[in-house]
């Protein structure tokens, strides 16, 4: 007897299958004669993927600049797991952890290498904010919450310190079990080439399609040699759309060159959620469909790639034994005019529409799903 049985779920490879859930885990994939306490028939019509993972958000509710609530940006929009990218450092991580334990959405953190986190925009302008002892203690206190480190390497953040904070970040990474390191890029200095040369396998460049001076393309529109080498070493590219960090022109050119993102993330927080240009992870994903990626490619970026990059070993895949985190969604034919962070527009003709999410085996309708009474979870 299963707890929940999704019948005739349409997968992104266009096959149709049953998905059986028990005790918060996926119990079985494939057509089954088994019975469940609750059965939902998706009629081969609605898509199901592993639960969407947003690899770059801001949801420390007490952050003075980049605050939001995990469930508003998470489960309410079909996102089952969020990774907060450096809103807190060693000083506030305990408070962040405590505040997010009640959330339905699974919340993880990339610890800001600056102990003060994002209380101001220039958290790495004072090198004294990088404290190895405080960071190590924080990582030790939260081994299941802190999944990596975050270093914001742009001029407004590092002040006069140039590349020095990244050198420290790489050392801290080594001293703390080689955790994934996410590096934000934007305005220079430091120059992107200097940043890229210091990154190694598993490190993540976020804001990878930004339109600022530290973009990944040369003025001639080719991929910078330093980025080509970094990708060859295993450095990963993360979208991190945000208020100022996605250029359709850069993304289109890069994707045309075969430089796809490993992860599609929103960099969402209350302001760019309410006023745009982000709104939701689903909208960011839809932009990448409009930029030429296929549905399976886009979904992989928010499921298995995100889980692999952040070492979330029980997430990101529809397979027996994995967490029963799933997203139920439609791909609707409708005209949408998207805007990027440069205020350029992109005409799209389809929109990913999350209807419901299942988190640890329990179902939650999204706003859209509830409005339409699509099915009763
Ligand atoms: Zn961010």
């Amino acid at each position: 007897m299963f707890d929940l049985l999704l019948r005739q779920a349409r997968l992104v490879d266009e096959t149709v299958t049953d998905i059986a859930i028990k005790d918060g885990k996926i119990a079985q994939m494939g057509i089954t004669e088994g019975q469940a306490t609750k059965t939902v028939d998706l009629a081969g019509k609605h898509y199901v993927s592993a639960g969407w993972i947003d690899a770059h958000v801001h949801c420390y509710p007490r952050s003075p600049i980049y605050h939001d609530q995990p469930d508003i940006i998470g489960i309410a929009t079909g996102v089952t797991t969020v990774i907060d990218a450096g809103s807190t450092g060693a000083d506030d991580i305990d408070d962040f952890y405590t505040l997010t334990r009640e959330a339905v959405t699974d919340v993880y953190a990339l610890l800001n290498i600056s102990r003060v986190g994002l209380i101001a925009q220039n958290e790495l302008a004072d090198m004294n904010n990088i404290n190895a002892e405080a960071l190590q203690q924080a990582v030790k206190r939260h081994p299941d919450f802190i999944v990596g480190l975050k270093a914001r390497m742009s001029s407004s953040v590092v002040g006069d310190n140039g590349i020095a904070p990244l050198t420290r970040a790489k050392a801290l990474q080594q001293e703390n079990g080689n955790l994934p390191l996410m590096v934000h890029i934007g305005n220079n200095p430091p120059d992107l080439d200097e940043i890229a040369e210091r990154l190694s396998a598993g490190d993540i460049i976020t804001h990878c399609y930004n339109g600022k001076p530290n973009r990944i393309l040369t003025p001639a529109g080719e991929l910078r040699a330093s980025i080509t080498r970094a990708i060859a070493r295993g450095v990963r590219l993360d979208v991190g759309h945000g208020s100022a960090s996605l250029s359709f022109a850069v993304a289109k050119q890069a994707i045309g060159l075969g430089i796809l993102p490993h992860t599609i993330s929103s960099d969402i927080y209350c302001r760019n959620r309410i006023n745009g240009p982000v709104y939701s992870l689903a909208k960011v994903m839809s932009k990448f469909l409009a930029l030429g990626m296929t549905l399976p490619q886009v979904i992989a970026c928010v499921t298995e790639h995100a889980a692999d990059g952040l070492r979330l070993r029980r997430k990101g895949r529809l397979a027996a034994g994995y967490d029963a985190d799933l997203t139920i969604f439609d791909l609707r034919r409708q005209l949408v005019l998207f805007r990027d962070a440069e205020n350029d527009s992109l005409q799209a003709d389809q929109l990913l529409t999350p209807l419901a999410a299942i988190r640890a085996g329990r179902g939650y309708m999204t706003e859209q799903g509830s409005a339409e009474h699509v099915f009763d979870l």
Side-chain angles (χ1 to χ4, degrees):
M1 192 80 174
F2 302 116
D3 298 333
L4 177 62
L5 187 55
L6 298 180
R7 285 212 186 272
Q8 297 198 73
R10 180 177 176 187
L11 307 184
V12 294
D13 65 5
E14 301 301 339
T15 60
V16 173
T17 188
D18 297 344
I19 304 171
I21 291 165
K22 191 171 174 57
D23 298 331
K25 302 279 173 199
I26 297 173
Q28 194 179 305
M29 296 288 298
I31 306 299
T32 175
E33 296 294 307
Q35 297 296 310
T37 311
K38 185 147 216 174
T39 299
V40 174
D41 193 342
L42 299 172
K45 187 175 143 206
H46 303 295
Y47 283 107
V48 178
S49 70
W52 294 351
I53 301 167
D54 194 337
H56 181 163
V57 306
H58 294 280
C59 62
Y60 175 41
R62 289 203 181 112
S63 170
I65 349 178
Y66 298 110
H67 54 91
D68 216 329
Q69 296 286 345
D71 286 342
I72 294 178
I73 60 172
I75 202 79
T77 65
V79 175
T80 53
T81 298
V82 295
I83 291 87
D84 180 278
S87 299
T88 55
D91 291 351
D92 291 318
I93 192 79
D94 295 0
D95 189 40
F96 181 31
Y97 177 79
T98 306
L99 282 175
T100 52
R101 288 316 87 194
E102 298 301 310
V104 169
T105 313
D106 212 3
V107 182
Y108 297 91
L110 298 171
L111 183 70
N112 199 310
I113 61 161
S114 168
R115 65 184 304 161
V116 300
L118 291 177
I119 29 189
Q121 305 266 22
N122 60 346
E123 76 271 14
L124 292 172
D126 179 355
M127 292 294 283
N128 291 319
N129 284 338
I130 307 176
N131 183 299
E133 178 63 22
L135 183 140
Q136 190 170 50
Q137 291 306 322
V139 170
K140 278 194 181 149
R141 286 197 303 279
H142 300 288
D144 299 323
F145 178 53
I146 295 173
V147 295
L149 303 178
K150 175 87 184 282
R152 298 203 309 146
M153 295 301 297
S154 54
S155 56
S156 56
V157 180
V158 301
D160 298 330
N161 289 323
I163 200 71
L166 183 57
T167 307
R168 289 293 303 279
K170 291 298 290 176
L172 291 166
Q173 178 188 38
Q174 291 306 311
E175 294 158 25
N176 290 277
N178 200 26
L179 287 167
L181 170 66
M182 180 183 277
V183 177
H184 142 132
I185 58 170
N187 287 309
N188 57 329
D191 187 81
L192 179 56
D193 294 334
E194 267 189 289
I195 295 170
E197 297 296 2
R198 282 166 174 78
L199 302 182
S200 42
D203 291 344
I204 301 161
I205 293 176
T206 192
H207 310 314
C208 67
Y209 302 129
N210 79 77
K212 297 171 186 176
N214 266 351
R215 64 179 67 182
I216 61 172
L217 302 176
T218 65
E222 293 179 336
L223 193 67
R224 289 196 197 210
S226 63
I227 296 294
T228 303
R229 289 193 294 270
I231 293 170
R233 288 197 302 278
V235 172
R236 304 169 71 89
L237 300 182
D238 174 61
V239 169
H241 184 320
S243 305
S245 301
L246 175 66
S247 155
F248 288 146
V250 171
K252 195 167 202 171
Q253 174 76 7
I255 289 169
L257 294 170
I259 308 306
L260 270 58
H262 292 91
T263 46
I264 295 176
S265 66
S266 65
D267 192 13
I268 198 167
Y269 73 108
C270 62
R271 259 206 318 264
N272 66 32
R273 166 171 61 79
I274 296 165
N275 302 328
V278 175
Y279 299 110
S280 68
L281 181 63
K283 292 237 164 66
V284 178
M285 292 159 68
S286 301
K287 291 178 183 184
F288 281 84
L289 289 175
L291 286 164
M293 288 174 67
T294 66
L295 181 64
Q297 286 173 335
V298 166
I299 295 298
C301 284
V302 299
T303 54
E304 57 197 73
H305 294 181
D308 291 349
L310 296 154
R311 303 183 197 158
L312 303 172
R313 307 209 186 280
R314 304 231 156 266
K315 297 193 184 292
R317 285 176 172 82
L318 288 177
Y322 279 78
D323 285 355
D325 292 1
L326 300 95
T327 303
I328 304 174
F329 62 96
D330 286 344
L331 181 58
R332 298 207 173 151
R333 294 248 149 232
Q334 70 183 79
L335 290 176
V336 202
L337 190 68
F338 287 128
R339 292 209 174 272
D340 65 6
E342 309 283 325
N343 209 25
D344 282 339
S345 60
L346 176 69
Q347 183 66 60
D349 60 4
Q350 46 188 0
L351 184 66
L352 281 162
T353 309
L355 304 173
I358 294 165
R359 162 75 194 115
R362 292 195 54 185
Y364 304 86
M365 301 302 289
T366 65
E367 200 177 310
Q368 185 92 46
S370 305
E372 298 177 13
H373 298 293
V374 181
F375 31 72
D376 173 29
L377 274 168

